[in-house]
Amino acid sequence: MRYHAPHIITEGAIQYPLGTLNGREIQYDFEKILIYLDAKGKLLFGKKFKIHREDREILYKLCLYFIQDKARCTQMGIDINKGLLLSGPVGCGKTSLMKLMKHIVPHQRPYEVVPCRNIVFGFNHIGYKTIEDFGNSQFFCFDDLGVEPIGRYFGKDCNVIGEIMLSRHELFINHKRKTHATTNLNAAELEERYGNRVRSRMRELFNLVAFDKGSKDKRM
C-alpha cells in the first residue's frame, strides 16, 4: 500500500481520496471513507465483506476517533487520548472493524490485533515473559477480551490479561501509549472476570464504543 498524500490511499491501481487537503489539514468526507473501507474490507476479508447500513453510527464514531477529530469526539464523549474498547454481541463485526480502521490513517503508528486466548496459550508455554511482552511499549488491540481461559504456568494460576491490563495502564499513564480491545462482555461481566481494580484501570484506558445489543450475527 502506498499513499501520495495522507488523504489519498492507493490500493493496487486504484486511488481512494478520503477527503480534500486544505493547507496541511485534511477535510475528511465520511461517505468517501466508507467507500474505501468497503473496498479494503473486501481485499482483507473476501468479496462477501460489506459495510452494513445499521453500522453507520458506530462507524462514524470510529472514523472520528481515528482521524482524531477532537471537537466532534468531545461532543460524543470520546477522549481521543484514550484507547477504544469496542463491545457488542458475537459476530457483529468488532474484530473486522478494528483490523480495518487503522488503514484509513496510514500515517499513524499501527497497532497489532491479537486474540486474548492466544496470549494465554503463550503464557502457558513460556510464562511471565508473555506478560512483559504485551505490557511493553508496542500498540495492541486485544481481541475477545474476557472469554480467554485462566493462564496456568508451573501449576500456578494467573489472570494473564488482567495483569497485562495493569501493565498497559501504567504505560498509558507514563508514556501515553494507547491500548485497544474488543469484547462480547458488558461492564459487570468484565468486573467479575478481572476484579474491581482492573475494571477501574480499564475505565481510564478505554473509551467504550458499543454495538446495539440487537446487532445481527454477520457470520451467518
Side-chain angles (χ1 to χ4, degrees):
M1 183 181 69
R2 295 172 294 120
Y3 61 99
H4 301 282
H7 67 299
I8 299 173
I9 300 180
T10 304
E11 296 284 353
I14 303 171
Q15 287 193 347
Y16 295 92
L18 304 187
T20 53
L21 205 54
N22 187 355
R24 294 191 65 181
E25 199 173 279
I26 302 169
Q27 310 266 268
Y28 283 98
D29 180 324
F30 181 53
E31 297 303 326
K32 287 180 176 170
I33 294 176
L34 289 185
I35 289 167
Y36 171 67
L37 288 174
D38 191 64
K40 183 67 177 176
K42 286 177 170 61
L43 287 172
L44 288 175
F45 311 118
K47 289 193 169 70
K48 285 185 176 174
F49 177 87
K50 70 172 186 172
I51 297 291
H52 293 265
R53 181 168 291 279
E54 66 266 27
D55 294 342
R56 281 176 69 95
E57 190 182 330
I58 210 151
L59 278 162
Y60 185 60
K61 284 183 184 174
L62 293 175
C63 286
L64 290 178
Y65 173 84
F66 279 101
I67 66 174
Q68 299 278 280
D69 187 328
K70 191 174 182 182
R72 286 200 183 110
C73 279
T74 302
Q75 284 170 359
M76 294 186 163
I78 295 171
D79 181 343
I80 61 171
N81 298 307
K82 290 159 79 163
L84 289 175
L85 176 59
L86 188 57
S87 80
V90 172
C92 67
K94 302 179 296 293
T95 306
S96 300
L97 286 187
M98 288 307 288
K99 286 180 175 175
L100 190 53
M101 293 307 299
K102 59 184 178 180
H103 293 285
I104 66 173
V105 281
H107 50 290
Q108 288 181 21
R109 190 171 166 183
Y111 51 84
E112 188 183 343
V113 179
V114 191
C116 289
R117 62 197 299 272
N118 291 10
I119 296 171
V120 175
F121 294 152
F123 173 86
N124 294 346
H125 282 291
I126 62 170
Y128 289 87
K129 184 179 183 301
T130 306
I131 293 172
E132 281 174 38
D133 289 346
F134 287 98
N136 71 9
S137 58
Q138 278 182 265
F139 289 75
F140 292 107
C141 174
F142 297 105
D143 193 32
D144 256 350
L145 190 70
V147 293
E148 74 282 352
I150 282 284
R152 195 166 177 80
Y153 187 66
F154 275 100
K156 285 183 79 175
D157 284 354
C158 176
N159 192 329
V160 177
I161 302 299
E163 292 297 325
I164 287 171
M165 285 298 142
L166 294 174
S167 299
R168 299 299 301 183
H169 178 263
E170 217 169 276
L171 203 59
F172 172 66
I173 296 299
N174 296 329
H175 303 288
K176 303 298 176 219
R177 286 278 188 274
K178 289 181 187 175
T179 302
H180 304 306
T182 73
T183 188
N184 305 329
L185 306 186
N186 61 33
E189 290 167 328
L190 285 171
E191 187 157 330
E192 193 180 317
R193 182 74 175 78
Y194 296 114
N196 187 34
R197 180 166 168 243
V198 174
R199 175 68 191 125
S200 75
R201 299 293 191 282
M202 283 186 187
R203 282 192 198 97
E204 291 180 49
L205 265 179
F206 298 124
N207 294 286
L208 177 62
V209 177
F211 276 87
D212 193 277
K213 284 189 182 72
S215 290
K216 66 184 182 190
D217 189 336
K218 299 179 179 80
R219 296 186 293 206
M220 302 294 271

